[in-house]
Amino acid sequence: PGIYVMKDGPLVVGTDSLVPGHPEHGQASCLCYHNDVPPPVKAQLHCPIGPSSLPPASLNGDGVGFYFTGTVPPDYDGVARPLQFMPRSSVSLSAPTDDALAGLLFFEDRSAPAGRSFEVMSDNARRLVGTIYMPRGTFVVSANQVVADQSEYTAIVVRKVALSQAPRLVVNANYNASKVPVPHGLGPTSARPALTN
C-alpha cells in the first residue's frame, strides 16, 4: 500500500524483449501490439515476431495510488504513454482508502502536457477499483478481453476515452461494496451519471 510517483518515465507492465540478437537491447514498444501499425513500421521498431520466452508480468496491490508527473519521452508515433499495461500482463489494483489520494487509483498531474495516452492492453486487467483521473490525457482500452468487470466501482475522469481492438470496458457502480471512497462530485454524490464533452 502507498502512493507511487511516476516522474519522467512510464509505468510499463508486461513488455517483451526486442527481436533476439538485435544490437539494440531493450523492450518492445507498445506500438508492436497495435493492429493499425503497418508491418514495415513494426520491422523498423524491431518488434518481436514470435512468442516471448519471458514469463507474463503482474501488478497487484490494494491501497495503492499512482501519481503521474514530469515529462515522458514520446514513442515512435510522437505520442507519450505514461502508463502501459501490455497484453501479457495481469493487473489487479484498488485505490487508497485515506490520505491525499484517497479513492484515486491513477492521478495525472493537472499541468501535464495534453494528449498523453494511458493504455490498457492487458487481457487480464479485471480489477481497477477507484477513480482514474487524467484531465488532459486519453484513457485507451485496447484489450481483447473484458476490463474492470471485477471492480466494485470504477470512476473515469479523463479528457478522452478511446476503445479499440475488441474491448469491453465495464464501469461498475457498487460504491457501497468497497471501502475505497468516491471523490466528492462523483458516484453517489453526483446528480446523475453522464458522458460529457
Side-chain angles (χ1 to χ4, degrees):
I3 307 303
Y4 297 86
V5 178
M6 307 306 299
K7 184 178 187 308
D8 297 332
L11 170 61
V12 181
V13 181
T15 190
D16 294 324
S17 298
L18 294 174
V19 171
H22 192 271
E24 294 178 17
H25 296 290
Q27 305 302 310
S29 163
C30 70
L31 293 175
C32 292
Y33 306 100
H34 286 222
N35 289 340
D36 59 347
V37 176
V41 173
K42 288 185 178 184
Q44 191 173 6
L45 292 171
H46 309 292
C47 294
I49 53 176
S52 174
S53 61
L54 296 173
S58 65
L59 178 64
N60 302 306
D62 290 320
V64 295
F66 294 89
Y67 178 67
F68 296 91
T69 188
T71 304
V72 176
D75 282 331
Y76 179 85
D77 61 352
V79 176
R81 292 177 171 86
L83 173 69
Q84 301 172 30
F85 292 158
M86 300 300 218
R88 290 179 1 90
S89 67
S90 173
V91 179
S92 177
L93 301 169
S94 69
T97 57
D98 56 18
D99 292 329
L101 288 187
L104 294 167
L105 186 59
F106 301 121
F107 186 97
E108 178 187 34
D109 187 334
R110 291 184 179 105
S111 64
R116 301 191 311 172
S117 184
F118 296 78
E119 298 203 15
V120 176
M121 295 176 281
S122 171
D123 283 338
N124 192 14
R126 302 188 65 187
R127 189 164 182 267
L128 300 173
V129 181
T131 300
I132 297 168
Y133 180 79
M134 300 162 185
R136 299 178 56 80
T138 300
F139 184 56
V140 178
V141 177
S142 58
N144 292 311
Q145 299 296 327
V146 67
V147 172
D149 65 312
Q150 295 178 359
S151 308
E152 291 88 345
Y153 84 87
T154 304
I156 303 173
V157 180
V158 296
R159 181 175 173 269
K160 186 179 187 182
V161 173
L163 304 176
S164 65
Q165 312 284 46
R168 286 186 298 145
L169 173 62
V170 176
V171 181
N172 288 325
N174 301 323
Y175 305 110
N176 293 331
S178 175
K179 293 181 181 179
V180 176
V182 182
H184 184 72
L186 299 176
T189 62
S190 65
R192 59 187 175 84
L195 291 175
T196 62
N197 183 357

